[in-house]
Amino acid sequence: MKKIIQITALIILSGCMNSNLTSLEEPKYDDNDVYIKHFAYSLIYNEEHEQADWVAYELLKSETIPNFKRTNRFIVDTMIYTGTATNSDYLHSGYDKGHLAPAADMTWNLQAMKESFYFSNISPQLPGFNRGIWKKLEMNVRDWAQTHNCLYITSGPIFMNSDQRIGKNNVTIPSHFYKTILIYNDSIQEAIGFIFPHKKCEGEIFDYAISIDSLELITGLNFYHRLPKRKEKKIEKDYVSKFWFKN
């Protein structure tokens, strides 16, 4: 089984990369951060807020074809040595267990599906947000993956004056959520960011689009830092609305 997983990982990597660049999806981090690498995604865990600062992964066109059903079994991530949130934190809280890397992006592999339900990949989300604009964006991301073959994706919560918490583990309620998407191959080099207030959002997803540079100023993160510097500067400066939103 281990050999099969390793071979699968190599196939995924070769299908997404067209250069020696690796882990393009991961924002910059340092040795003090709690970095976790799972089979299907990586993350930086924030113990203060009991959730990830970011979750990053690649999404291939082939991975948008479902092979496994959603498990709906939320479990503790044992790789977080300090512990994560649990089901009891969310019980009767009024918040959904909101995925950062969506379960629907992990239906291509059983291990990937299981990992998507780790609490390290979960943030408390209002139902109107999780099942509304956030879900719409997730569906658009899969459409983009089908069109452009490979995406590099980062998602995470933002805590602006966030003092509300739930459960015995004091899981912080985020004030906003963000997502970044990069297409980087020989013919297309485009990126876009999104930031949403944590509420039932009106309008369409393009109303919440933002450049990567602008999102970096808000989050304090350095996205796509492994790109060649001139490429990074050009790609992150702005997004091309007509490219992402053609209809």
Side-chain angles (χ1 to χ4, degrees):
M1 178 60 74
K2 185 177 181 181
K3 288 184 178 179
I4 293 173
I5 291 172
Q6 290 174 339
I7 291 169
T8 302
L10 288 172
I11 292 171
I12 292 167
L13 184 62
S14 63
C16 212
M17 300 299 296
N18 66 339
S19 70
N20 292 324
L21 298 172
T22 60
S23 302
L24 272 180
E25 70 280 5
E26 293 182 351
K28 193 172 185 178
Y29 61 91
D30 59 42
D31 292 339
N32 295 321
D33 290 322
V34 181
Y35 173 81
I36 302 295
K37 179 68 174 179
H38 289 306
F39 172 64
Y41 63 86
S42 57
L43 65 98
I44 292 294
Y45 196 74
N46 189 318
E47 176 64 23
E48 177 186 356
H49 298 298
E50 291 293 5
Q51 58 203 282
D53 279 335
W54 54 256
V55 170
Y57 63 104
E58 301 169 357
L59 183 62
L60 293 175
K61 178 179 180 179
S62 60
E63 294 170 346
T64 63
I65 302 170
N67 292 318
F68 297 91
K69 293 182 179 180
R70 180 185 173 105
T71 65
N72 284 322
R73 184 171 178 264
F74 294 88
I75 52 178
V76 169
D77 185 345
T78 57
M79 292 186 69
I80 309 296
Y81 70 93
T82 55
T84 63
T86 66
N87 276 299
S88 63
D89 291 310
Y90 286 82
L91 187 63
H92 307 307
S93 69
Y95 289 90
D96 284 354
K97 303 180 190 91
H99 284 73
L100 297 175
D105 288 2
M106 304 294 169
T107 58
W108 55 277
N109 179 275
L110 189 58
Q111 183 176 345
M113 173 58 71
K114 176 184 176 182
E115 290 177 351
S116 75
F117 284 90
Y118 286 162
F119 275 101
S120 56
N121 183 43
I122 301 300
S123 287
Q125 293 184 344
L126 292 167
F129 175 82
N130 182 38
R131 307 171 200 182
I133 199 80
W134 193 243
K135 183 177 180 180
K136 286 183 180 179
L137 178 56
E138 291 172 345
M139 294 171 67
N140 272 264
V141 167
R142 286 189 288 278
D143 287 344
W144 288 325
Q146 290 170 358
T147 301
H148 301 293
N149 297 315
C150 176
L151 307 179
Y152 301 93
I153 304 165
T154 309
S155 297
I158 297 175
F159 308 100
M160 294 182 184
N161 302 316
S162 300
D163 54 10
Q164 185 179 356
R165 296 173 183 259
I166 58 171
K168 291 182 179 180
N169 286 303
N170 292 316
V171 184
T172 307
I173 306 301
S175 61
H176 298 74
F177 286 92
Y178 69 87
K179 192 180 292 287
T180 72
I181 300 102
L182 168 68
I183 303 169
Y184 190 76
N185 57 49
D186 292 338
S187 58
I188 301 174
Q189 298 174 1
E190 297 286 346
I192 191 170
F194 295 88
I195 183 169
F196 303 96
H198 185 195
K199 64 179 183 179
K200 185 177 181 179
C201 296
E202 303 297 331
E204 301 298 330
I205 62 169
F206 56 76
D207 296 323
Y208 302 89
I210 189 172
S211 71
I212 302 299
D213 276 348
S214 296
L215 190 57
E216 287 179 334
L217 290 174
I218 295 169
T219 63
L221 295 171
N222 185 358
F223 300 104
Y224 306 125
H225 63 101
R226 292 186 173 96
L227 289 170
K229 291 305 175 185
R230 283 192 295 179
K231 296 284 188 180
E232 181 185 5
K233 184 176 181 180
K234 180 180 179 181
I235 290 169
E236 295 187 352
K237 184 178 180 180
D238 205 353
Y239 67 92
V240 181
S241 182
K242 290 183 179 180
F243 172 81
W244 296 98
F245 310 111
K246 295 179 180 179
N247 295 329

